Amino acid sequence: MAGGLMALLDDVAALAKLAAASVDDIGAAAGRASTKAAGVVIDDAAVTPRYVQGFDPSRELTVIRKIAVGSLRNKIVFILPAALLLSQYAEWLLAPILMLGGTYLAFEGAEKLWEKFGPGDHHGPAEPVAADGGADHEKTMVSGAIRTDFILSAEIMVIALKEVTDEPFVSRALILAVVAVAITALVYGAVGLIVKMDDIGLHLAKKSSAVAQKVGRGLVVGMPIFLTVLANIGIVAMLWVGGHILLVNADELGWHWPYETVHHWEKDAGGGAVGWIVNTASSAVIGIVVGAIVVAVMHLIPRKKH
């Protein structure tokens, strides 16, 4: 009897170890998958703060929370099941879908460059600013942010999925769920902190400590500059990530020479940080070229016809 009990306890301990190992494996795989999507995550974090500019400070975190909930719903309810079905029954579609997403990111980046440097009036507001539209305006802004997030979330989830296609179906689902929750918390936690930094600065500026006052004034003065820099980083991220997605997935679809050429340049540069810069710059150039073509189709040709 005691021997049977000990054997049972051994079996339970073995199952517990196996479960713990599975959790560790899922966590590690989710970490790898999230890292691969880092470029799109940077873009997501850079794009979102513009949707709360102009709102009353008391509403900023509420708006971000609503966008975060919509983003998580996008990932869990719509994108995750679709991604799992594709990975199970039509894995060959993942590369073309990623290329469509890469083209969209390249277009977004190139269009923002066109808005900055192309002909036309550049003195108007470049970012959506909240007007006195009350609840209806807030709902419109949140809906727009969630629609934009859907594209970026789809890219993040498909990039993550491509890293775990060899995992069993249930593990894939759990890994993608972990990625969805972790990425959403990371992006919108960072966005919430960013948009409230000026309020934190104002609070510190009222303190009696000279150091706190100096830090507070620095935050108040520096945050607009930081947001501008972040917006520019977002543009660069769109072009770089979009171009890299196109480069890698074109290679997977059989068009090898662009990827092989960039890889050859990277090796000639000696690899390491310099090689990474060469690869990133090449991806950004591809993003600019592809994005410019789409911008021309979307904007210049219709204008000529008009």
Side-chain angles (χ1 to χ4, degrees):
M1 185 75 173
L5 179 59
M6 291 303 296
L8 178 60
L9 291 175
D10 285 343
D11 290 342
V12 170
L15 288 172
K17 288 179 181 178
L18 181 61
S22 298
V23 170
D24 287 342
D25 290 343
I26 288 169
R32 291 195 305 272
S34 299
T35 300
K36 285 290 184 179
V40 188
V41 172
I42 292 169
D43 180 36
D44 204 358
V47 167
T48 305
R50 70 194 182 105
Y51 286 98
V52 297
Q53 288 182 1
F55 279 107
D56 186 286
S58 64
R59 297 297 301 166
E60 288 175 341
L61 291 181
T62 300
V63 171
I64 291 170
R65 178 181 57 78
K66 289 180 179 179
I67 298 172
V69 170
S71 174
L72 191 59
R73 184 171 60 246
N74 283 343
K75 294 181 181 77
I76 297 294
V77 178
F78 302 111
I79 299 170
L80 191 152
L84 288 173
L85 288 173
L86 284 174
S87 68
Q88 191 73 12
Y89 301 109
E91 190 177 336
W92 59 272
L93 271 175
L94 293 178
I97 288 171
L98 278 171
M99 291 191 73
L100 284 174
T103 301
Y104 176 81
L105 288 175
F107 161 69
E108 283 280 294
E111 186 175 48
K112 284 177 172 56
L113 289 179
W114 175 259
E115 290 169 357
K116 279 178 173 288
F117 304 112
D121 180 18
H122 305 295
H123 300 291
E127 311 288 357
V129 178
D132 294 329
D136 288 340
H137 184 78
E138 181 176 307
K139 185 177 180 180
T140 300
M141 294 297 288
V142 169
S143 298
I146 292 172
R147 283 195 299 271
T148 299
D149 173 89
F150 188 90
I151 299 294
L152 296 173
S153 291
E155 282 294 288
I156 290 167
M157 296 294 280
V158 176
I159 290 170
L161 176 64
K162 288 222 29 167
E163 291 301 303
V164 295
T165 49
D166 294 334
E167 298 286 340
F169 183 85
V170 173
S171 294
R172 250 178 290 154
L174 290 173
I175 290 166
L176 289 181
V178 170
V179 168
V181 174
I183 293 295
T184 303
L186 174 65
V187 168
Y188 290 98
V191 169
L193 182 62
I194 288 168
V195 301
K196 299 307 288 183
M197 285 302 288
D198 52 352
D199 292 342
I200 294 171
L202 286 171
H203 178 74
L204 289 174
K206 296 175 183 177
K207 294 287 188 180
S208 58
S209 168
V211 174
Q213 290 177 5
K214 188 174 181 179
V215 172
R217 287 193 293 268
L219 287 174
V220 171
V221 172
M223 281 312 296
I225 299 171
F226 176 76
L227 287 172
T228 301
V229 171
L230 187 64
N232 290 328
I233 290 173
I235 294 173
V236 173
M238 280 187 247
L239 295 170
W240 155 44
V241 176
H244 189 70
I245 289 171
L246 291 169
L247 187 68
V248 171
N249 288 280
D251 181 65
E252 287 196 14
L253 291 175
W255 196 27
H256 301 299
W257 76 262
Y259 180 85
E260 290 174 352
T261 300
V262 171
H263 185 62
H264 181 70
W265 290 344
E266 185 178 356
K267 287 179 66 178
D268 286 348
V274 177
W276 181 85
I277 290 170
V278 169
N279 188 303
T280 300
S282 302
S283 298
V285 169
I286 292 169
I288 290 172
V289 171
V290 172
I293 292 170
V294 180
V295 167
V297 171
M298 297 293 290
H299 292 280
L300 297 182
I301 292 176
R303 284 183 187 177
K304 281 186 177 181
K305 287 181 179 179
H306 178 71

